[in-house]
Amino acid sequence: MPDTLPLIWGIVLAVAVIVYTILDGFDLGVGMLFGLEKSEANRDLMMNSVAPFWDGNETWLVLGGGGLFVAFPLAYSIIMPALYIPVIFMLLALIFRGVAFEFRHVAKPNHHWWDKAFLFGSLGAALSQGIILGALLQGITVVDNRFAGGAFDWLTPFSLFCGAGVVVGYATLGACWLNLKTIGELQQKMQRIATWLLAGLLLFIALVSLWTPLMSPRIAEKWFSLPNFYFLWPVPTITGLLAFSVYLALRKNKSLWPFLGTAGLFIISFVGLAFSTLPLIVPPDISVYQAAAAHESQLFSILGVLILLPIILIYTIFVYYIFRGKVTPESGYH
Amino acid sequence: MDFDPVMLARLQFAFTISFHIIFPAFTIGLSAYIAVLLAMWIKTNRERYQKLAKFWTKIFAVSFGMGVVSGIVLSYQFGTNWSEFSRILGNVLGPLIGYEVLTAFFLEATFLGVLLFGWGKVPRWLQLTAAIAVAFGTLMSAFWILSANSWMHTPAGFEMRDGIAYPVDWIKIIFNPSFPYRFAHMLLAAYLTTAVVVLAVAARYRVAGRFPRQSPTMLKMALGMVMLLAPLQLFIGDLHGLNTAKHQPAKIAAMEAHWHSDKPAPLLLFAWPDQQQQTNHAEIGIPNLASLIITHERDGLFPGLNDFPVEDQPPVLPVFFSFRIMVGIGLLLIGIGLLGGVLWWRGRLFDAQWFMRPLRFAWPLGFIALLAGWMTTEIGRQPWLAHQVLRTADAASPVSANSVLVSLLLFVLVYGVVFSAGIYYINRLIHKGPEPEVLEAPASPTAGRPLSGAESGSFDTLNREQSDA
């Protein structure tokens, strides 16, 4: 019997990445929308709507990177040098935006630099994450289990396009989050922005879905061969219906559904990409089975995941529950 | 100009991890302190403890933010700059890092939100629970990271097959020979570092005559910690040293700049180690004392650097000096504890201006000692990345020197900006101080007189506090 642990670990990592993109996605999105709002009071509200959560959200990124190291050290040792520049750029951007949360409050009234750090840090992090995604989908040159390409292999029209797509996607999530957490004029503004962003996001999803099979015969084979095609055709249909329901919910002033629906769009897009790629983890050569850590290492760490991840999810939900409802000007602690 | 990519990668890692360790070390201690303050607030119902907890929580938030962002960098650098390390040792060290994320990182990062934003929104017990969760999380974080780090010094419980390490016994891997000592030494260092910061802040308020009721509380709590922990740290450090002598003799030889194994070693107070000529210049030492400390015998012999081929010797000069800086500061802290204890015992502590004035500037002492200690142990591990398993030179990524150099410069630049701003803002928060209590005592504690019973049960308590001060 082939070892199923690598596949289980692959699914765990996929879950960690999708949870990360939704959770940190909305708070990076709020960071980017910061640039569209000039009022100081509203900016405070926007920041306070994510401030209690961002630390926990970003931890999923550590689980993504750490999990890759834990479960697939070979993949980690190839992907990180290959994507050296976008990864470092993402980290630097995250530093600026992470410290901006506290620094901005403490620096008042001279905080305009930290406003910029928050805005451009969020934008830079989202952009580089999209580029990383694109670069991974298009594949990495590997010789003898080591990265053997150049420092700028990642830089292609496709990866940049994915970068832009993730920026739009995160901004959509951020706008829907603010629609959920704010009231009045700010909420209405976010509903308008969210509608436009939603249309943009849908366009990006469609174009990436067309581009990937054109770029890679392997992916085309997966989607358009029989019998796969029979049970895959609902995927675009569900995507379209979901997007339409978000649009309606935004028009009807609903608080929660636009956010959940957009998160659903993220999940279905991600499942599609994972289907295109798995069982490969470093396309086009390395599969989860080849990259897997030793069986006893994966076993030891998966036990921790299976016990602790549900607990983490429970207390994460608990903290979101504590800070439920609309954010008010008194929400800060400063 | 040509740079050695391995040297650049080492510099980059040394820089990012040195920057990072400052914040966890501080937040491990500070979260525990905040938890204690909150517990005392709930127990005594005195507002003073609540205000102090709130005040230190703000400082905690700034430091924790910097700790999180600089920590994320590290979890990716193992791959970007040390991909061969990840490939070769990932089976053994990966799960330890994974457990750190699962048991610690999530706990602290999630409950930090409640600790910071829960005031008035959640009941007191939940506020305290959040503080304890954060403090426990930072502790668990240290547990796993120190375990992984210790394994690199004293690898155990594994076997090498086809050049890749495979785990054999997880208990032996996690509780490898140097781990218990390193963990205890690091935790004490973290609590001590925080206590010194609190002590310096309290001294600052005493000298300025501000916060006459909160500053004695801080002063007593912090001084008590220093009195207790500084001597204990000396003891634990000695045990750790003996453990190093057993497992990494070359490191001990470098710490003592001890070249010749056939002679008993003096305790060098100063020397200028010269690795090229394999000798020391300008030695000043106490004869036989190093032998006595390490072997517990006056004429005891222990391996000197001449026992190791030059390519297996750690760089002696930085190890020798950073060790002395660490020990020197440790002894200074013991002295501060003793002196403060005597003043306290005689009832003169709060008004001993000659003691308070220099104490205001003591806040970096713990950090410097901590960094010096890490440099001693990490540079002392060279040329090995994992002792006698993997050389540092064989662990780097196949990336160009240019990539590493540019990213190094960017990290220096960004951390420089962020760090300066962080220090500046923390200083600003300290300058502002805790929120005034509803019942603010007069500036001079001796002239103080309770104004009302606004604080529950306060009349009696206040009188006692005033006489304390």
Side-chain angles (χ1 to χ4, degrees):
Chain A
M1 195 186 90
D3 195 354
T4 50
L5 266 176
L7 207 57
I8 297 176
W9 250 114
I11 293 168
V12 167
L13 264 190
V15 170
V17 172
I18 187 65
V19 173
Y20 171 75
T21 51
I22 292 171
L23 293 185
D24 214 26
F26 82 72
D27 69 49
L28 288 168
V30 169
M32 291 186 270
L33 295 170
F34 217 62
L36 300 178
E37 180 56 52
K38 297 282 173 264
S39 135
E40 188 62 26
N42 281 347
R43 283 189 164 195
D44 283 353
L45 273 184
M46 289 166 80
M47 203 173 213
N48 282 337
S49 79
V50 293
F53 311 113
W54 78 272
D55 271 309
N57 294 349
E58 218 153 82
T59 306
W60 291 89
L61 182 65
V62 185
L63 186 64
L68 195 62
F69 177 40
V70 172
F72 305 102
L74 180 65
Y76 179 78
S77 76
I78 294 168
I79 293 172
M80 294 301 158
L83 303 179
Y84 193 90
I85 295 169
V87 168
I88 299 275
F89 187 70
M90 171 188 80
L91 295 172
L92 291 170
L94 285 174
I95 289 173
F96 274 117
R97 106 174 242 291
V99 298
F101 277 98
E102 289 303 322
F103 285 6
R104 182 177 176 274
H105 276 290
V106 188
K108 280 187 173 185
N110 302 310
H111 58 280
H112 67 280
W113 282 106
W114 297 115
D115 282 353
K116 291 188 177 66
F118 190 55
L119 165 62
F120 289 107
S122 304
L123 185 65
L127 183 67
S128 25
Q129 284 173 10
I131 290 175
I132 289 168
L133 174 73
L136 205 53
L137 288 172
Q138 75 195 7
I140 289 171
T141 313
V142 175
V143 175
D144 194 19
N145 281 345
R146 289 171 184 82
F147 168 59
F152 288 95
D153 282 8
W154 52 271
L155 186 62
T156 61
F158 178 72
S159 68
L160 291 177
F161 189 76
C162 290
V166 167
V167 166
V168 171
Y170 283 179
T172 317
L173 268 179
C176 292
W177 173 260
L178 288 169
N179 167 56
L180 169 65
K181 297 300 275 188
T182 61
I183 49 169
E185 167 245 353
L186 182 61
Q187 187 189 19
Q188 282 162 12
K189 181 172 175 181
M190 287 305 149
Q191 284 169 354
R192 283 196 303 277
I193 294 176
T195 313
W196 283 105
L197 286 168
L198 182 68
L201 175 61
L202 216 53
L203 195 65
F204 273 105
I205 292 176
L207 288 174
V208 170
S209 308
L210 287 176
W211 199 330
T212 42
L214 288 176
M215 175 179 78
S216 151
R218 173 178 50 80
I219 294 174
E221 163 84 21
K222 273 202 150 176
W223 283 85
F224 299 115
S225 67
L226 299 176
N228 286 4
F229 188 71
Y230 290 129
F231 58 86
L232 286 174
W233 69 263
V235 174
T237 317
I238 294 172
T239 310
L241 288 175
L242 211 50
F244 189 62
S245 76
V246 171
Y247 170 72
L248 286 182
L250 280 170
R251 291 204 56 171
K252 285 187 190 153
N253 233 351
K254 299 264 190 259
S255 283
L256 190 57
W257 185 252
F259 182 74
L260 292 182
T262 309
L265 282 177
F266 267 70
I267 293 172
I268 197 160
S269 308
F270 191 79
V271 168
L273 292 175
F275 176 77
S276 299
T277 310
L278 281 176
L280 294 179
I281 190 165
V282 187
D285 297 322
I286 310 270
S287 73
V288 286
Y289 302 103
Q290 289 163 277
H295 177 80
E296 45 280 46
S297 304
Q298 285 204 328
L299 186 64
F300 177 57
S301 44
I302 201 80
L303 289 176
V305 169
L306 295 180
I307 296 166
L308 293 165
L309 210 53
I311 300 175
I312 290 169
L313 283 171
I314 289 170
Y315 65 62
T316 303
I317 292 168
F318 175 65
V319 168
Y320 273 83
Y321 176 76
I322 291 177
F323 296 105
R324 68 193 178 279
K326 301 285 182 184
V327 62
T328 56
E330 296 83 48
S331 298
Y333 70 99
H334 294 91
Chain B
M1 204 155 81
D2 276 343
F3 290 102
D4 172 16
V6 176
M7 194 62 205
L8 287 171
R10 281 181 62 192
L11 273 177
Q12 183 174 127
F13 203 81
F15 178 75
T16 49
I17 203 164
S18 300
F19 179 89
H20 172 69
I21 192 67
I22 291 172
F23 302 104
F26 185 46
T27 48
I28 287 170
L30 200 52
S31 54
Y33 183 52
I34 291 167
V36 170
L37 286 171
L38 284 172
M40 294 181 72
W41 170 47
I42 292 173
K43 190 158 172 278
T44 65
N45 210 21
R46 283 191 212 161
E47 201 192 358
R48 179 171 26 147
Y49 292 117
Q50 187 218 12
K51 298 283 173 172
L52 273 179
K54 218 169 170 178
F55 165 65
W56 284 106
T57 303
K58 287 179 192 172
I59 293 169
F60 181 83
V62 175
S63 332
F64 194 85
M66 290 197 276
V68 169
V69 291
S70 57
I72 294 176
V73 170
L74 293 175
S75 74
Y76 281 82
Q77 264 184 339
F78 297 136
T80 51
N81 290 347
W82 302 100
S83 63
E84 286 295 287
F85 157 81
S86 310
R87 193 177 66 85
I88 295 168
L89 302 180
N91 283 334
V92 174
L93 294 181
L96 307 188
I97 307 289
Y99 271 94
E100 193 250 342
V101 179
L102 291 167
T103 58
F105 217 143
F106 273 110
L107 199 63
E108 32 186 330
T110 309
F111 280 97
L112 179 73
V114 181
L115 184 60
L116 297 188
F117 296 91
W119 299 105
K121 224 178 215 137
V122 300
R124 290 177 177 196
W125 65 266
L126 187 54
Q127 191 86 30
L128 175 63
T129 310
I132 292 172
V134 172
F136 180 73
T138 58
L139 200 71
M140 286 310 289
S141 225
F143 176 93
W144 291 108
I145 293 299
L146 269 283
S147 173
N149 173 270
S150 296
W151 190 90
M152 290 157 58
H153 292 267
T154 51
F158 73 107
E159 62 182 18
M160 296 299 286
R161 295 203 300 266
D162 305 326
I164 305 268
Y166 286 85
V168 175
D169 182 339
W170 286 110
I171 298 294
K172 281 193 180 141
I173 291 172
I174 295 168
F175 295 95
N176 59 78
S178 66
F179 169 60
Y181 302 98
R182 200 183 309 277
F183 183 48
H185 199 42
M186 176 63 191
L187 277 190
L188 283 180
Y191 291 129
L192 202 48
T193 299
T194 309
V196 174
V197 172
V198 176
L199 191 64
V201 171
R204 180 168 163 177
Y205 292 154
R206 292 309 299 170
V207 172
R210 301 174 66 196
F211 309 108
R213 282 165 11 98
Q214 281 134 324
S215 61
T217 307
M218 285 201 284
L219 199 57
K220 282 187 284 187
M221 290 173 89
L223 186 61
M225 284 295 270
V226 174
M227 287 166 61
L228 183 73
L229 296 184
L232 189 60
Q233 182 69 311
L234 185 70
F235 175 69
I236 297 285
D238 179 54
L239 290 181
H240 190 183
L242 294 180
N243 178 270
T244 308
K246 191 169 152 201
H247 295 280
Q248 293 172 293
K251 188 196 288 184
I252 286 287
M255 281 157 68
E256 299 297 348
H258 178 49
W259 297 95
H260 302 288
S261 38
D262 50 352
K263 284 187 248 169
L267 183 71
L268 296 175
L269 300 178
F270 183 84
W272 192 261
D274 182 339
Q275 201 138 9
Q276 252 170 1
Q277 296 181 28
Q278 299 275 301
T279 186
N280 293 332
H281 304 295
E283 278 190 14
I284 307 168
I286 304 167
N288 296 56
L289 190 54
S291 279
L292 189 67
I293 292 171
I294 290 161
T295 65
H296 291 187
E297 274 175 51
R298 201 178 163 277
D299 293 316
L301 299 178
F302 63 97
L305 286 155
N306 69 343
D307 281 1
F308 305 91
V310 176
E311 70 268 17
D312 286 353
Q313 292 176 359
V316 180
L317 190 87
V319 175
F320 176 81
F321 279 109
S322 52
F323 179 60
R324 266 147 195 75
I325 291 170
M326 175 190 76
V327 173
I329 291 177
L331 295 175
L332 180 61
L333 291 182
I334 292 177
I336 290 175
L338 279 176
L339 197 58
V342 170
L343 287 170
W344 192 354
W345 182 51
R346 295 207 172 165
R348 290 193 210 149
L349 178 61
F350 303 120
D351 300 306
Q353 290 284 328
W354 60 270
F355 185 57
M356 295 295 149
R357 278 178 194 283
L359 211 51
R360 287 179 296 171
F361 304 105
W363 63 269
L365 285 179
F367 296 110
I368 298 171
L370 188 102
L371 285 174
W374 274 109
M375 283 182 188
T376 307
T377 199
E378 296 298 301
I379 301 174
R381 175 168 47 81
Q382 303 302 328
W384 300 100
L385 192 146
H387 188 59
Q388 291 182 340
V389 175
L390 178 65
R391 280 179 187 271
T392 309
D394 299 330
S397 290
V399 289
S400 71
N402 281 337
S403 295
V404 187
L405 179 64
V406 171
S407 57
L408 172 62
L409 293 177
L410 284 173
F411 275 117
V412 171
L413 192 72
V414 169
Y415 281 19
V417 170
V418 168
F419 186 76
S420 317
I423 293 270
Y424 175 76
Y425 293 134
I426 286 177
N427 187 50
R428 217 161 116 163
L429 285 170
I430 290 174
H431 181 72
K432 215 168 125 198
E435 284 172 33
E437 293 175 68
V438 177
L439 177 77
E440 180 67 273
S444 157
T446 43
R449 143 179 88 79
L451 299 172
S452 82
E455 205 179 21
S456 56
S458 66
F459 212 89
D460 234 298
T461 334
L462 261 180
N463 277 331
R464 199 162 59 240
E465 281 160 27
Q466 301 297 348
S467 56
D468 267 353

